[in-house]
Amino acid sequence: MVLTVYGPSFASTKRVIACLLEKGIEYSVVPVDIFKGENNDPAYRQLQPFGKVPVIRDGDYVLFESRAILRYIAEKYKSQGTDLYGNTIEARGQVEQWLEVEAQNFHPPAYALVLDVMFGPKLGIVPDPKLIKENEEKLGKVLDVYEERLSRNKYLAGDFFSLADLSHLPFTEYLISFVKKKEMISSRPHVSAWWDDISSRPSWREVLKIPLPDILN
């Protein structure tokens, strides 16, 4: 049975697809154009009542929220592909901890920068220099914590690539490629080495082949 992903060809959908590729799971994609408001269509709202993306359907099972989807995939398909949770309860605790750090500490300022700089001009929104500066400072403090952590561990949860690392891929890519904040990564040697490692994985290189919508080009 083929797992179905509903979502646009960018952002958190790519997080889910990278996970599916790591696990070697066959999948199909149903595009959802949020710029045309397709995420608010009644049929889509039956899957995701808040109109957010992405959503997966695995047989009769429907799940939304990208990190919940990552956890589900990693657990259900644990016996195949890359083990993204680790082999012990302690390892899993570290994965969960740093996945929460990504969601609660890294993602908010990173998302704000991407929204203001990458998406804003495409939507007729003038970037706010004050907000950009504030979010750069917030993100810098998070990356300083990462630098210390990664000076002692190859990956965030320990010595293995996990959901905690994978979840950073889409928005770090945008920070570097579209927001032009590469120096925030490259100026921290351990963060830089970590990024070079995780962004070179075959799964992510494959995800990067997915074209962005015309509005973002």
Side-chain angles (χ1 to χ4, degrees), residues 22-197:
E22 287 284 345
K23 300 301 288 183
I25 298 167
E26 188 176 358
Y27 69 93
S28 64
V29 176
V30 175
V32 178
D33 190 334
I34 64 174
F35 295 108
K36 293 181 179 178
E38 291 177 356
N39 54 307
N40 289 315
D41 289 349
Y44 185 76
R45 287 283 185 139
Q46 289 295 313
L47 299 173
Q48 220 294 12
F50 302 104
K52 304 296 184 181
V53 290
V55 174
I56 65 164
R57 185 191 294 275
D58 190 9
D60 294 328
Y61 183 70
V62 175
L63 187 67
F64 55 82
E65 294 294 344
S66 64
R67 295 171 191 84
I69 294 169
L70 298 186
R71 290 176 168 102
Y72 167 77
I73 293 168
E75 183 66 33
K76 180 173 180 180
Y77 299 97
K78 187 174 180 63
S79 63
Q80 69 185 73
T82 307
D83 185 350
L84 298 169
Y85 255 148
N87 296 319
T88 66
I89 190 64
E90 290 80 11
R92 180 164 178 165
Q94 289 295 316
V95 174
E96 292 286 3
Q97 172 180 269
W98 288 97
L99 188 55
E100 283 297 310
V101 169
E102 183 275 325
Q104 304 299 327
N105 299 90
F106 175 88
H107 186 74
Y111 176 79
L113 286 169
V114 169
L115 187 64
D116 215 15
V117 178
M118 179 179 171
F119 288 92
K122 308 293 185 181
L123 301 172
I125 301 170
V126 178
D128 185 331
K130 182 181 178 181
L131 286 177
I132 290 173
K133 185 174 186 296
E134 287 176 356
N135 283 299
E136 283 179 3
E137 290 174 352
K138 290 177 183 177
L139 184 60
K141 290 177 181 179
V142 176
L143 292 173
D144 287 341
V145 173
Y146 283 22
E147 178 68 10
E148 195 281 329
R149 172 68 177 176
L150 293 165
S151 71
R152 296 181 285 110
N153 300 275
K154 185 175 181 179
Y155 300 104
L156 287 171
D159 62 357
F160 64 101
F161 178 76
S162 75
L163 295 181
D165 308 294
L166 184 150
S167 194
H168 286 81
L169 286 166
F171 284 88
T172 307
E173 181 72 37
Y174 295 152
L175 284 169
I176 292 170
S177 300
F178 292 92
V179 187
K180 306 302 181 185
K181 295 300 178 184
K182 182 178 180 179
E183 77 283 354
M184 296 191 76
I185 304 299
S186 61
S187 64
R188 297 169 171 86
H190 295 99
V191 172
S192 183
W194 166 76
W195 174 248
D196 288 346
D197 183 308

